């Protein structure tokens, strides 16, 4: 579960930062119909978002543990993990989340708004699946354990520092 929590937090934060910059989420959230749904990127809760990801990673880790044979017992387990995350967690959610089938049916968000965020969540779930599977299959790679531990510590220290320093007014 620890490897899953660390891997999820690291991939979530890196892919999220890249997507936020490349897709200009500050403007996108403010100028699209998402302004009624999403907090502005300057909101302290958004800054604190990565700090909640280890908990989510532990939850994923619990499920992955129950499914350890199909996920980690085969070389293609990363693909099974990614497909499960994409189908159940992204496209087939029970609630009307942006990018999901339910969201496209039950919300008034235009289709382009749903599709714009999909590359981020698909890339993050793919990164999680590939990196976690590699780490689980190669426990002897000490450099990977060190790299993930340092990345986790550094990336989660940024929101803490940002929240302590505060936003310029």
């Amino acid at each position: 579960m620890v490897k899953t929590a660390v891997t999820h937090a690291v991939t979530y934060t890196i892919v999220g930062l890249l997507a936020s910059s490349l897709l200009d989420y500050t403007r996108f959230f403010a100028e699209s119909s998402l302004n009624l749904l999403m907090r502005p990127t300057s909101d302290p809760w958004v800054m604190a978002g990565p700090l909640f990801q280890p908990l989510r990673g532990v939850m994923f880790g619990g499920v992955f543990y129950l499914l350890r044979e199909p996920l980690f017992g085969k070389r293609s387990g990363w693909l099974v993990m990614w497909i499960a995350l994409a189908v159940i967690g992204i496209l087939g959610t029970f609630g009307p989340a942006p990018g999901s089938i339910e969201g496209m049916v039950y919300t008034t968000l235009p289709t382009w708004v749903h599709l714009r965020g999909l590359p981020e969540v698909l890339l993050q779930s793919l990164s999680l699946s590939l990196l976690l599977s590699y780490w689980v299959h190669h426990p002897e790679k000490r450099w990977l354990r060190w790299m993930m531990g340092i990345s986790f510590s550094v990336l989660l220290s940024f929101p803490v520092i940002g929240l302590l320093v505060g936003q310029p007014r």
Side-chain angles (χ1 to χ4, degrees), residues 73-136:
K74 299 180 173 114
R75 291 188 68 64
S76 62
W78 68 270
L79 183 59
V80 173
M81 183 186 304
W82 183 52
I83 290 171
L85 288 169
V87 171
I88 297 169
I90 298 168
L91 300 172
T93 61
F94 287 97
S100 71
I101 293 169
E102 291 288 299
M104 291 181 203
V105 171
Y106 293 109
T107 70
T108 58
L109 298 173
T111 303
W112 70 269
V113 170
H114 288 281
L115 298 178
R116 183 158 176 186
L118 278 178
E120 175 191 1
V121 292
L122 291 172
L123 178 61
Q124 191 269 324
S125 57
L126 176 62
S127 302
L128 169 62
S129 301
L130 285 168
L131 188 55
L132 179 59
S133 292
Y134 185 81
W135 195 3
V136 167

Side-chain angles (χ1 to χ4, degrees), residues 16-30:
L17 288 170
L18 287 171
S20 182
S21 297
L22 294 173
L23 299 174
D24 193 11
Y25 280 171
T26 299
R27 188 172 63 78
F28 179 51
F29 291 170

Side-chain angles (χ1 to χ4, degrees), residues 150-167:
I150 291 168
S151 298
F152 178 84
S153 300
V154 168
L155 290 170
L156 267 63
S157 69
F158 289 157
V160 171
I161 293 167
L163 289 165
L164 291 174
V165 170
Q167 298 288 329

